[in-house]
Amino acid sequence: MKHKAGFVNIIGNPNVGKSTLMNAFVGEKLSIITSKAQTTRHRILGIVNGDDFQILFSDTPGIIKPAYELQSSMMDFVKSAFEDADILIYMVEIGEKELKDEAFFNKITNSKIPVLLLLNKIDKSSQEEVEEKILYWKEKVPNAEIFIISALENFNVESVFNRIVELLPESPPFYPKDQLTDKPERFFINEAIREKILLHYKKEIPYAVEVETEEFIESDKIIRIRSVIMVERETQKGIIIGHKGAALKRVGTEARKDLEKFFNKKIHLELYVKVNKNWRNDKRQLRRFGYNE
Ligand SMILES: Nc1nc2c(ncn2[C@@H]2O[C@H](COP(=O)(O)OP(=O)(O)OP(=O)(O)O)[C@@H](O)[C@H]2O)c(=O)[nH]1
Ligand SMILES: [Mg+2]
């Protein structure tokens, strides 16, 4: 049998469920998920291997109009996902309209490659509403094949997967067949910590935070990790730490539990907080944090 392989890139507005879908396809928690917009900041590869196929899923940040350098870098990841896709997944959720960004939306409607439009979160919706939305999207994106899904409840995800396998071009694998992602271990540590910050802090705090792992020492029984949580202002540092350090402790405990599952090993996690003024607009620092293609 001929081998198939290709890039299947998931794009759409913030918070529609792109990361939930990629994790469902891969069967691992590669991408963090929260109810806040702009949870995903990077392009994250999730690889699914079969005997005669390899699918390279890319989760990408939700499409926004960038207001600062970090967000511009996030949109560069989206652009790159348009460039190398063999199949595009355009995800929308029940109740939303087309992308506000016209240039990106035109790229979808003028796409030369197959577009699968996934209408997600149908678990939140009535049959009539779903039918009405299908008609709406057929007219807006006539070149797309439409699927209704619930990424959260794993409804119809398998039909989409089977269709992807049919559409994959013939190609040898791009990555070793036992590889799951292109990101290093430290990336997933940073993300696990950032997820807890998105979950537990309000307003601008999560958007002012970047996490960097400075130490990762693995022995037989335990992994020792030291990570720094960077914020933009002194007041934010106080909020992250909380009264007698309780808030920071909670982040550490919850992230450690997730990481113990992810690495399947005991973890010792040390966290500290540092002010790093204006990192979100500093191109040199953003590069160091991995915000470049
Ligand atoms: N009810 C319902 N909720 C869903 C579904 N899929 C995702 N969600 C929820 O929607 C929220 C956003 O999910 P994510 O997967 O983080 O969305 P995203 O598109 O990756 O978001 P960004 O990374 O911020 O662009 C989370 O609270 C999910 O639990 C679904 O099928 N049904
Ligand atoms: Mg996401």
Side-chain angles (χ1 to χ4, degrees):
M1 221 191 279
K2 293 255 167 63
H3 193 276
K4 293 169 142 195
F7 286 87
V8 180
N9 301 342
I10 309 169
I11 48 136
N13 274 330
N15 211 39
V16 296
K18 301 178 296 298
S19 300
T20 307
L21 178 71
M22 175 155 99
N23 289 349
F25 278 141
V26 178
E28 291 277 342
K29 191 177 167 187
L30 289 183
S31 285
I32 59 169
I33 295 167
T34 79
S35 60
K36 291 201 173 81
Q38 299 175 53
T39 294
T40 305
R41 289 180 179 170
H42 295 261
R43 177 174 173 176
I44 303 162
L45 201 65
I47 308 174
V48 179
N49 291 296
D51 285 340
D52 54 358
F53 68 85
Q54 179 172 70
I55 312 176
L56 304 145
F57 287 105
S58 282
D59 183 18
T60 66
I63 293 174
I64 46 169
K65 290 262 181 234
Y68 42 88
E69 273 306 322
L70 167 66
Q71 293 181 329
S72 301
S73 309
M74 286 159 59
M75 292 310 102
D76 287 344
F77 288 131
V78 179
K79 274 181 212 145
S80 81
F82 272 102
E83 279 157 21
D84 63 20
D86 294 295
I87 298 166
L88 270 181
I89 289 187
Y90 172 35
M91 183 178 260
V92 299
E93 66 173 291
I94 284 287
E96 73 157 309
K97 296 258 163 59
E98 64 272 21
L99 296 175
K100 285 194 192 79
D101 188 311
E102 220 173 291
F104 278 134
F105 190 68
N106 291 339
K107 273 178 196 267
I108 297 169
T109 51
N110 296 322
S111 169
K112 301 268 182 296
I113 56 163
V115 178
L116 308 183
L117 188 152
L118 308 190
L119 185 51
N120 190 33
K121 306 197 187 180
I122 65 151
D123 54 286
K124 292 207 300 194
S125 188
S126 69
Q127 182 78 25
E128 286 135 291
E129 194 181 6
V130 171
E131 279 164 15
E132 188 190 307
K133 292 296 167 186
I134 292 174
L135 294 176
Y136 175 85
W137 287 110
K138 264 191 183 147
E139 196 194 315
K140 286 282 175 193
V141 195
N143 54 320
E145 278 179 51
I146 300 177
F147 291 80
I148 55 169
I149 69 162
S150 167
L152 188 67
E153 296 184 352
N154 219 335
F155 170 78
N156 225 11
V157 171
E158 200 181 333
S159 339
V160 179
F161 187 89
N162 293 339
R163 184 64 183 133
I164 290 167
V165 174
E166 276 175 15
L167 289 169
L168 278 183
E170 262 180 36
S171 160
F174 293 84
Y175 285 84
K177 278 290 186 89
D178 56 357
Q179 197 169 328
L180 191 66
T181 180
D182 61 336
K183 291 275 180 280
E185 286 152 333
R186 284 174 196 233
F187 175 81
F188 296 102
I189 299 166
N190 301 342
E191 289 288 271
I193 298 163
R194 207 165 57 77
E195 182 184 75
K196 303 312 169 199
I197 289 165
L198 277 151
L199 290 173
H200 296 312
Y201 299 89
K202 294 197 193 86
K203 295 184 184 154
E204 91 290 358
I205 297 279
Y207 302 97
V209 162
E210 177 64 15
V211 181
E212 196 177 26
T213 293
E214 299 179 328
E215 202 171 271
F216 180 94
I217 302 169
E218 186 162 9
S219 60
D220 277 357
K221 292 216 176 73
I222 194 166
I223 307 175
R224 289 180 191 280
I225 298 167
R226 191 182 64 236
S227 308
V228 50
I229 297 171
M230 281 170 284
V231 288
E232 292 202 308
R233 290 199 298 273
E234 206 60 48
T235 48
Q236 295 167 338
K237 179 174 168 176
I239 293 168
I240 293 278
I241 294 170
H243 183 60
K244 293 186 174 163
L248 182 62
K249 191 167 176 202
R250 180 180 184 190
V251 167
T253 307
E254 292 183 11
R256 174 177 53 75
K257 284 184 185 152
D258 283 8
L259 291 169
E260 286 182 337
K261 269 191 220 135
F262 187 80
F263 290 105
N264 206 6
K265 220 175 208 181
K266 204 168 150 48
I267 305 269
H268 179 269
L269 178 61
E270 183 191 333
L271 292 178
Y272 73 100
V273 189
K274 191 169 99 181
V275 177
N276 180 348
K277 288 205 177 79
N278 209 29
W279 68 265
R280 294 192 299 186
N281 269 309
D282 182 338
K283 281 192 176 172
R284 195 179 49 86
Q285 290 208 65
L286 286 169
R287 251 199 316 280
R288 203 184 81 220
F289 301 147
Y291 294 104
N292 58 329
E293 270 296 295

